[in-house]
Amino acid sequence: MNLILLGMPGAGKGTQADFIKNKFHIPTISTGAILREVSNSNSLLAKKVRGFLDAGTLVPDEIIVEMLVQRLKEDDCKNGFILDGFPRNLDQAKALENAGIVINNVVFLKISESEIISRMSGRRVHLPSGRSYHIVHNPPKNEGRDDETGEELVLRDDDKPEVIKKRLEVYFQETEPLLDFFINSEIIFDEVDASKNVEDVSNEIFKILT
Ligand code: AP5
């Protein structure tokens, strides 16, 4: 199963990717998590990448596409993978095709803009894995701690209101056109009502994927 999760920032892609990963035993590849790791490293790229993340704009394709394609060639992706945050624009979708990477399913998590703000303001993340929680809707077992590692959860720097606004603008301009691209492709495309609670959304996704 080679799956793409599409949706607005905060729609619940990362949350659902985790459920799918655990059920189907395939890895989640989150470009946001990869880029946050780069931005926190001592590499030459770190400062450059951090600038885009903090501004809420997309990191240029020449930085992310090759990284992603190489990641998908690793052994753990042999039996499938979940793409969370990629592709983000038409050129990235075409780059997947050009690299010979076949996608079987696209699941679009549909939600309104007004829901997004409350979701992001209550979000807490485990930066190394990209696992995300919500203080009310999806709390960790122990407050402020990641369920799997027990490590500290933090607020993401790009969850400030002004950056959220920019990320939504970028979504409408660059990512939303992907909906038509996939609807008109051979790939199986499904839409899920992502405003439901976490469990209902994952049950709906499981129904689609099984
Ligand atoms: P990225 O990390 O991909 O962020 P995003 O797409 O903006 O999505 P989010 O991670 O914010 O949200 P999500 O949909 O995963 O929601 P979550 O499950 O956490 O990208 C960050 C940045 O990296 C970009 O701005 C860009 O700069 C760069 N980048 C990344 N990929 C790139 C690419 N391909 N090309 C170029 N640049 C790239 O849920 C949100 C909250 O809601 C959580 O608190 C969660 O617990 C809660 N929640 C989830 N589901 C529900 C539910 N059903 N009910 C109630 N609460 C829920």
Side-chain angles (χ1 to χ4, degrees):
M1 182 197 301
N2 296 349
L3 167 72
I4 291 175
L5 288 179
L6 266 186
M8 269 187 210
K13 302 180 294 295
T15 303
Q16 295 302 330
D18 223 38
F19 285 105
I20 302 167
K21 178 183 101 177
N22 292 335
K23 186 168 172 76
F24 294 97
H25 309 290
I26 52 175
T28 300
I29 318 296
S30 158
T31 42
I34 293 172
L35 290 166
R36 278 185 287 281
E37 212 178 310
V38 171
S39 89
N40 288 326
S41 70
N42 291 321
S43 69
L44 287 173
L45 261 185
K47 200 173 161 199
K48 194 169 175 188
V49 166
R50 198 172 308 133
F52 293 104
L53 296 185
D54 289 351
T57 53
L58 295 184
V59 169
D61 291 349
E62 57 269 26
I63 293 180
I64 187 65
V65 170
E66 191 50 28
M67 243 183 233
L68 191 270
V69 168
Q70 289 312 319
R71 176 66 187 87
L72 293 179
K73 287 183 180 160
E74 286 177 28
D75 247 22
D76 62 336
C77 294
K78 258 194 331 228
N79 297 323
F81 52 78
I82 307 151
L83 279 179
D84 162 12
F86 193 99
R88 281 297 238 272
N89 58 31
L90 289 168
D91 285 341
Q92 292 186 3
K94 288 175 189 155
L96 280 179
E97 286 181 349
N98 295 340
I101 293 161
V102 175
I103 301 296
N104 315 112
N105 294 72
V106 172
V107 173
F108 171 51
L109 300 179
K110 191 175 180 190
I111 192 163
S112 67
E113 234 179 295
S114 53
E115 293 255 7
I116 294 298
I117 309 295
S118 109
R119 287 200 178 180
M120 291 209 191
S121 54
R123 169 160 57 189
R124 299 292 179 274
V125 293
H126 177 241
L127 282 179
S129 69
R131 272 186 290 281
S132 65
Y133 302 83
H134 191 280
I135 48 176
V136 178
H137 306 303
N138 185 26
K141 289 176 193 144
N142 297 308
E143 196 183 325
R145 298 275 154 193
D146 177 50
D147 286 351
E148 288 188 25
T149 63
E151 287 166 351
E152 194 188 356
L153 301 176
V154 296
L155 274 168
R156 259 169 57 173
D157 286 340
D158 60 351
D159 278 349
K160 296 180 198 129
E162 65 277 15
V163 186
I164 294 173
K165 190 167 169 270
K166 182 67 194 169
R167 286 163 64 199
L168 286 169
E169 268 172 43
V170 170
Y171 169 80
F172 288 120
Q173 211 170 353
E174 304 211 32
T175 311
E176 204 178 46
L178 283 173
L179 298 181
D180 277 343
F181 175 84
F182 285 121
I183 287 168
N184 294 317
S185 76
E186 302 287 303
I187 301 168
I188 301 168
F189 179 96
D190 287 283
E191 185 176 295
V192 167
D193 178 0
S195 65
K196 293 184 180 166
N197 68 45
V198 173
E199 207 187 340
D200 287 350
V201 177
S202 50
N203 285 338
E204 210 173 314
I205 295 176
F206 291 164
K207 246 191 265 164
I208 288 167
L209 298 178
T210 46

